[in-house]
Amino acid sequence: MSARRPRRSATSLAALALGAIAVAAAAGAQLPGFPSSKPAPVATTPTPAPVPETVAEARARIEKLAEVARAERDRTPPAPPDGVAPSEQDARYEAVATLAYAYDGQLRSYTEAERRRAARAAAEAADREWTGFAEPAPYPIARVDALLDTADATRSRVAAIEAAAAHLDAEAERLQVAARRAEEDLRRAREAVESASGAAPRAVAAWRADAAEWQVRSVGARATLARVAAEAKREEASARRAELKLAERQAALAARSVRFDESD
């Protein structure tokens, strides 16, 4: 088959059993070295908990993975063995291209989450530090209305952001199910390589196993992207809630002492 450039598209615990030692001995005899009481349990050193990955470490790891995916996406692959359909080539390319996109998206989402965390910290500080308006009461009714409008708009924005985060959470769960299916497909593809008889069938099976592995990576990366993007949305919602708290405080204070001008 001639080389074909696929068209581009967006998408133990091992159980440790200790056998009981059956010792045949004369009745009432005590075996040397074996006391009649239970032996003290052997002290074991607990396995230390894994150290959580920092954001910087995660970004560096993902950047390396993204470089590999981009290189695979951009190279012209060798001709597949006879028996591989054009649609299979397209599906493999799509998995690789989507993998590169997902890694790039993860990097963007990490940056966005960091920016939103800084915005939340600034909004929370502004709320803590605000003690009142610079000018004395009473306050124009137009100013009260503007503060109430700001609070309403921010409240609506929070609701929309939270809905987006919930949608991304659901998408991550859907992709986790798809990832399990892809892993099962990969297992079967590898079994096909082992059971293939002859060089040609084995080459086809090996190509398909490689394509299945790219698919597993792609779906898994997309699931991670959805989770990271959802976290960025939650950070944004937290920042907006801090802004809302301040706007509500300001509106409540201004509403306690209102003046009406002639233009009102």
Side-chain angles (χ1 to χ4, degrees):
M1 177 183 292
S2 60
R4 179 179 183 274
R5 176 70 175 186
R7 65 176 180 273
R8 290 179 175 254
S9 60
T11 357
S12 252
L13 290 170
L16 178 60
L18 296 178
I21 303 175
V23 181
Q30 174 69 47
L31 295 181
F34 286 82
S36 58
S37 59
K38 281 188 176 182
V42 178
T44 58
T45 302
T47 303
V51 179
E53 188 178 45
T54 66
V55 172
E57 290 169 341
R59 289 178 60 89
R61 174 178 56 82
I62 295 167
E63 182 57 54
K64 290 178 181 179
L65 293 171
E67 289 175 2
V68 173
R70 294 185 204 113
E72 182 66 22
R73 177 197 62 194
D74 297 338
R75 79 182 182 99
T76 300
D82 290 338
V84 173
S87 59
E88 293 180 279
Q89 298 178 58
D90 291 338
R92 181 189 183 280
Y93 177 82
E94 181 174 352
V96 174
T98 304
L99 176 62
Y101 167 82
Y103 285 145
D104 288 339
Q106 288 180 35
L107 293 170
R108 289 192 299 269
S109 292
Y110 275 119
T111 299
E112 182 67 11
E114 290 174 350
R115 188 172 72 86
R116 294 301 181 183
R117 278 190 288 271
R120 181 184 66 180
E124 290 173 346
D127 178 54
R128 287 193 307 270
E129 294 166 5
W130 189 80
T131 58
F133 298 110
E135 65 273 22
Y139 305 104
I141 186 62
R143 182 172 191 175
V144 177
D145 288 342
L147 289 169
L148 290 171
D149 288 344
T150 297
D152 287 342
T154 305
R155 197 176 294 110
S156 297
R157 182 60 181 158
V158 169
I161 295 168
E162 289 175 338
H167 173 77
L168 288 165
D169 285 334
E171 180 68 2
E173 291 179 7
R174 184 190 70 79
L175 287 167
Q176 281 297 109
V177 173
R180 289 193 289 271
R181 290 198 299 265
E183 288 167 357
E184 181 61 22
D185 290 342
L186 175 58
R187 182 188 65 79
R188 288 194 293 264
R190 287 172 172 169
E191 289 176 350
V193 176
E194 296 299 322
S195 62
S197 178
R202 181 178 289 272
V204 172
W207 189 97
R208 289 172 175 160
D210 174 76
E213 185 170 349
W214 283 108
Q215 185 65 28
V216 167
R217 295 178 187 176
S218 178
V219 179
R222 288 160 56 200
T224 301
L225 171 58
R227 289 194 299 270
V228 175
E231 182 59 31
K233 285 295 180 184
R234 280 187 279 272
E235 289 289 351
E236 181 181 3
S238 295
R240 295 291 186 174
R241 279 192 292 268
E243 294 173 0
L244 175 59
K245 182 180 177 182
L246 176 57
E248 289 176 335
R249 288 177 59 210
Q250 291 175 335
L253 178 60
R256 288 202 293 266
S257 182
V258 181
R259 76 168 185 263
F260 293 85
D261 298 328
E262 292 183 2
S263 59
D264 298 323

